[in-house]
Amino acid sequence: MTRLRVLNCIRASGEASRTEIAAALRLSPATVTFVTSGLMLGDLIEEVTSQDTQDPVKRGRPRVALRLTRGKNNIAGIKIARNSISVIILDFGGTDVAQDEFPLVNSQMEPEELVTTLRDCVAATARVLPNGMDDLAGISIGLAGQIDAEACFVHWSSSLTHRNVDLGELLAAHLPCAAFIENDANLVAKAEHLFGEAQGLSNFLVVTVEHGVGLGIVLDGRLYRGERGCGAEFGHTKVVYHGAPCQCGQFGCLEAYVGNFAMTREAEKLLAGNKEPSVTDLVEMAASGNSCAQAALDRAGQMFGMGLANLINLFDPERIILSGAQHRIAHLHSDKVLADVSENVVNVDAPLPDIRVHHWGDEMWARGAAALGIENVSELKVKDLGRDAS
Ligand SMILES: [Zn+2]
């Protein structure tokens, strides 16, 4: 535990001297010296020496700080989207090593095909490393659906043809290093917390609007996943009893009215098979006066507003970040929707939580995956150090 606390302290500050670590964690200098030498032996941290030029008395004396080892323990982060796979490789200190994006022909695959496709994408991106994939310490994968991250088990994902897949077993068979999976909305929450609009916040929510609707919950600074790892299925909360069919196989789910797949279904009805419809088509039809298209957008806005009010009533978050392309989700945070939200939030004499739109490309989702991978690999490596020492 102390090793992990020291490692996390160094990660959080970028660089820290032994004295600063001892003060921040209230540890004795002897303990910090002992723990950091173990971490250095394990190649997890390294010393950096810099001249302190700020202090005229100390000028000339080198300052020795510790940071996460650069150029080693590389981690690949992956985001599986509907039409593409994004891969980013970071070193243990979080510095960019490589990134790439690959088109995806089949948006739904057999589990083994998905894993071999992932392996090929990672191998291609890792070509810049001296030993390719063998230089990776971990691979962290984000995909949509009900994911048990701890058990590396997929209850259901729109990317897979099968339900209840023990992805951990397949990943271990096809990949050369430790692999982790995570619900993709949790990756956005992670990325927002580390690099984005939720820096410094402890209680916030991220709602992703893509093909489906996802939710990342951060409470007291930690991701909340639920007991079975599928505790944030906002998209599959029911908004109409026995309502529209959802891609999960059930009926009346929020995303069956709000997700991109629901919007393209509406556009398809109106375009009567003239072309491949998109959400943008629906938005454009509404803008040019098509009342049916407008009604579909309005209904999505109403359902979404009701959902947001319920989230605020349940979690009382500091901030809700909506993640989705601005031109595709303008109808989900219109003045009308926000007025609906405030009407349906429990009545207290305090302002509504801040609701804002922040959209990142798939690369940032992959970066969130890599950041989680760094944390997971840290825990594994620190456990290994403990085993070696005992
Ligand atoms: Zn559903």
Side-chain angles (χ1 to χ4, degrees):
M1 276 309 288
T2 311
R3 287 195 186 100
L4 198 57
R5 282 179 66 213
V6 168
L7 194 65
N8 288 338
C9 172
I10 297 170
R11 176 181 301 116
S13 44
E15 272 181 22
S17 69
R18 289 176 176 82
T19 318
E20 287 161 351
I21 296 166
L25 301 179
R26 296 188 183 171
L27 295 171
S28 72
T31 304
V32 173
T33 303
F34 175 74
V35 168
T36 52
S37 56
L39 292 172
M40 282 174 70
L41 276 175
D43 236 351
L44 297 180
I45 59 171
E46 61 188 3
E47 280 188 338
V48 268
T49 310
S50 58
Q51 290 298 121
D52 191 336
T53 50
Q54 300 298 316
D55 187 333
V57 181
K58 290 185 187 166
R59 188 176 290 162
R61 275 177 58 187
R63 171 183 183 269
V64 179
L66 297 160
R67 70 177 179 202
L68 299 189
T69 307
R70 297 208 175 150
K72 289 200 176 158
N73 293 318
N74 300 291
I75 313 286
I78 303 171
K79 147 85 173 167
I80 305 168
R82 220 164 149 70
N83 306 310
S84 64
I85 289 182
S86 302
V87 182
I88 188 162
I89 296 177
L90 305 181
D91 73 10
F92 202 52
T95 310
D96 284 30
V97 175
Q99 69 181 83
D100 214 338
E101 191 178 321
F102 305 87
L104 197 53
V105 184
N106 296 327
S107 54
Q108 212 176 35
M109 283 184 268
E110 298 269 332
E112 186 145 12
E113 187 191 357
L114 179 74
V115 172
T116 52
T117 305
L118 289 179
R119 182 198 56 203
D120 295 346
C121 294
V122 175
T125 312
R127 236 181 261 142
V128 296
L129 299 170
N131 305 302
M133 278 222 285
D134 288 339
D135 283 339
L136 293 174
I139 298 176
S140 178
I141 303 150
L143 70 170
Q146 290 139 20
I147 314 291
D148 186 337
E150 228 159 84
C152 218
F153 186 86
V154 181
H155 294 279
W156 172 80
S157 170
S158 54
S159 297
L160 287 172
T161 48
H162 293 48
R163 299 181 86 98
N164 299 319
V165 177
D166 184 356
L167 209 59
E169 209 170 82
L170 279 172
L171 293 168
H174 289 281
L175 297 176
C177 59
F180 318 96
I181 60 172
E182 184 58 87
N183 169 281
D184 58 359
N186 285 348
L187 300 181
V188 189
K190 195 80 206 168
E192 291 286 5
H193 206 187
L194 290 175
F195 327 110
E197 301 277 320
Q199 289 182 61
L201 300 188
S202 298
N203 296 293
F204 69 93
L205 306 174
V206 174
V207 178
T208 59
V209 184
E210 289 206 312
H211 193 65
V213 175
L215 173 66
I217 304 172
V218 173
L219 300 177
D220 294 332
R222 295 179 64 85
L223 267 178
Y224 174 77
R225 296 186 177 94
E227 180 60 30
R228 294 168 303 156
C230 39
E233 287 303 329
F234 181 48
H236 304 285
T237 51
K238 304 302 178 277
V239 290
V240 177
Y241 187 63
H242 284 185
C246 180
Q247 51 172 354
C248 72
Q250 296 184 330
F251 295 88
C253 298
L254 177 74
E255 71 177 39
Y257 298 92
V258 173
N260 290 351
F261 81 87
M263 298 289 93
T264 50
R265 179 193 64 207
E266 295 302 318
E268 205 166 6
K269 280 188 212 161
L270 299 174
L271 288 166
N274 285 339
K275 62 176 224 177
E276 276 280 293
S278 71
V279 185
T280 315
D281 290 328
L282 195 70
V283 171
E284 282 171 3
M285 278 189 275
S288 61
N290 184 317
S291 59
C292 294
Q294 190 58 54
L297 293 179
D298 288 348
R299 186 175 61 174
Q302 282 164 5
M303 300 283 189
F304 194 66
M306 210 156 59
L308 286 182
N310 289 340
L311 288 180
I312 295 168
N313 289 338
L314 280 171
F315 293 105
D316 186 23
E318 214 170 336
R319 181 171 294 163
I320 299 181
I321 300 163
L322 308 182
S323 170
Q326 173 73 32
H327 66 282
R328 286 203 299 259
I329 65 163
H331 59 288
L332 301 179
H333 62 103
S334 63
D335 292 345
K336 169 83 176 69
V337 171
L338 295 178
D340 275 357
V341 172
S342 88
E343 210 165 276
N344 289 301
V345 165
V346 284
N347 232 338
V348 287
D349 289 328
L352 268 186
D354 171 29
I355 301 174
R356 60 173 74 175
V357 176
H358 186 223
H359 184 55
W360 269 334
D362 291 338
E363 178 254 327
M364 194 51 89
W365 294 49
R367 197 176 282 279
L372 263 180
I374 292 175
E375 285 185 10
N376 289 334
V377 168
S378 303
E379 279 180 33
L380 286 181
K381 296 257 173 198
V382 164
K383 260 188 212 156
D384 286 349
L385 282 180
R387 219 169 282 136
D388 293 347
S390 61

